[in-house]
């Protein structure tokens, strides 16, 4: 017999939205940047890595991120996060699967390492606030994935145990801490329809 899951926890960027890499590549083109420059600034440049980590846990503001990343890239930092996420869109297959799960009685939460909330709130911009039973943001919780504490916080907010929940993320390194709490995990890659079908099979058909 399939386990009866009562909770679904979904990552934001790259799961509930279109792929982050495609968005970043579009940003590079719109700003006239060398291909790969934006990703290097975020993931390899020491100042960029530091400010992004600090932003995610509320130690830096989005404005500070704008200034640092704009400086690394040599572009206007004004409202940079808004421009950087301008090509991000809700991923219909996953959003609709989440809605079906919720209609079947499953509690649905979004768990995101934060992009900052001011002056640009990407969660509000993409209509995420009314679509979930709970939003767990690293900026608010002061801890980021893959720290076990943020998954525990999600369980507390949902008032569920690990084995009652499913967690979906596009970064494999974010899955083991959830698994350690007994949460069933799905590594979302490049096929939202396949992930949605998994969720339907696990949640919609077993919810009662």
């Amino acid at each position: 017999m399939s386990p009866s899951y009562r909770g679904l926890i979904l990552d934001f960027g790259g799961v509930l939205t279109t792929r982050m890499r495609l968005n970043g590549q579009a940003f590079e083109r719109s700003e006239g940047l060398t291909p790969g420059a934006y990703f290097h600034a975020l993931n390899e440049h020491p100042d960029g890595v530091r400010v992004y980590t600090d932003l995610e846990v509320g130690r830096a503001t989005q404005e500070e991120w704008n200034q640092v990343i704009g400086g690394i890239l040599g572009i206007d930092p004004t409202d940079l996060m808004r421009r950087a996420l301008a090509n991000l869109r809700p991923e219909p297959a996953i959003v609709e699967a989440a809605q079906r799960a919720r209609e079947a009685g499953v509690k649905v939460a979004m768990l995101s390492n934060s992009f900052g909330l001011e002056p640009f709130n990407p969660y509000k911009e993409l209509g995420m606030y009314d679509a979930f039973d709970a939003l767990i943001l690293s900026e608010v919780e002061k801890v980021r994935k893959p720290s076990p504490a943020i998954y525990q916080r999600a369980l507390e907010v949902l008032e569920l145990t690990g084995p009652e929940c499913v967690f979906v993320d596009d970064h494999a390194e974010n899955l083991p801490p959830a698994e350690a709490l007994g949460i069933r995990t799905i590594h979302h890659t490049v096929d939202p329809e396949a992930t949605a079908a998994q969720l339907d099979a696990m949640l919609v058909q077993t919810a009662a």
Side-chain angles (χ1 to χ4, degrees):
M1 180 180 293
S2 299
S4 181
Y5 296 107
R6 300 176 58 205
L8 172 61
I9 305 168
L10 296 163
D11 175 46
F12 174 67
V15 175
L16 283 163
T17 75
T18 47
R19 293 168 60 193
M20 294 298 296
R21 177 154 290 275
L22 296 179
N23 170 80
Q25 290 169 342
F27 170 68
E28 289 177 337
R29 291 192 296 270
S30 68
E31 297 285 335
L33 296 170
T34 301
Y38 178 56
F39 300 103
H40 180 272
L42 298 183
N43 302 320
E44 298 181 47
H45 192 289
D47 292 339
V49 171
R50 181 170 55 252
V51 78
Y52 216 151
T53 299
D54 286 348
L55 174 68
E56 288 178 331
V57 296
R59 288 194 302 262
T61 66
Q62 191 182 94
E63 290 280 25
E64 289 169 333
W65 184 93
N66 291 344
Q67 291 293 329
V68 172
I69 299 299
I72 294 170
L73 295 174
I75 60 177
D76 181 5
T78 304
D79 213 10
L80 184 57
M81 184 66 82
R82 182 186 301 273
R83 286 154 43 213
L85 298 180
N87 292 280
L88 209 59
R89 299 288 184 271
E91 178 50 68
I94 305 298
V95 171
E96 290 165 10
Q99 290 173 340
R100 289 191 292 272
R102 208 174 175 199
E103 289 165 1
V106 175
K107 293 182 179 180
V108 183
M110 183 186 77
L111 171 60
S112 177
N113 281 354
S114 185
F115 294 93
L117 301 174
E118 295 179 350
F120 174 64
N121 186 329
Y123 311 107
K124 182 177 181 180
E125 187 76 12
L126 272 65
M128 297 292 169
Y129 275 87
D130 296 327
F132 301 94
D133 297 292
L135 273 67
I136 299 94
L137 302 177
S138 63
E139 177 181 358
V140 176
E141 303 299 333
K142 310 302 182 188
V143 63
R144 65 195 282 269
K145 293 179 291 182
S147 171
I150 199 164
Y151 304 96
Q152 186 61 53
R153 178 59 179 156
L155 295 177
E156 291 169 0
V157 171
L158 290 175
E159 299 181 323
L160 295 172
T161 66
E164 292 178 298
C165 295
V166 177
F167 171 57
V168 185
D169 202 290
D170 58 329
H171 291 286
E173 64 269 23
N174 290 334
L175 302 180
E179 292 168 355
L181 292 171
I183 300 170
R184 172 69 181 272
T185 62
I186 296 175
H187 183 205
H188 175 66
T189 53
V190 296
D191 189 345
E193 285 77 16
T195 299
Q198 281 186 274
L199 293 176
D200 281 343
M202 296 168 67
L203 300 171
V204 177
Q205 297 175 18
T206 62

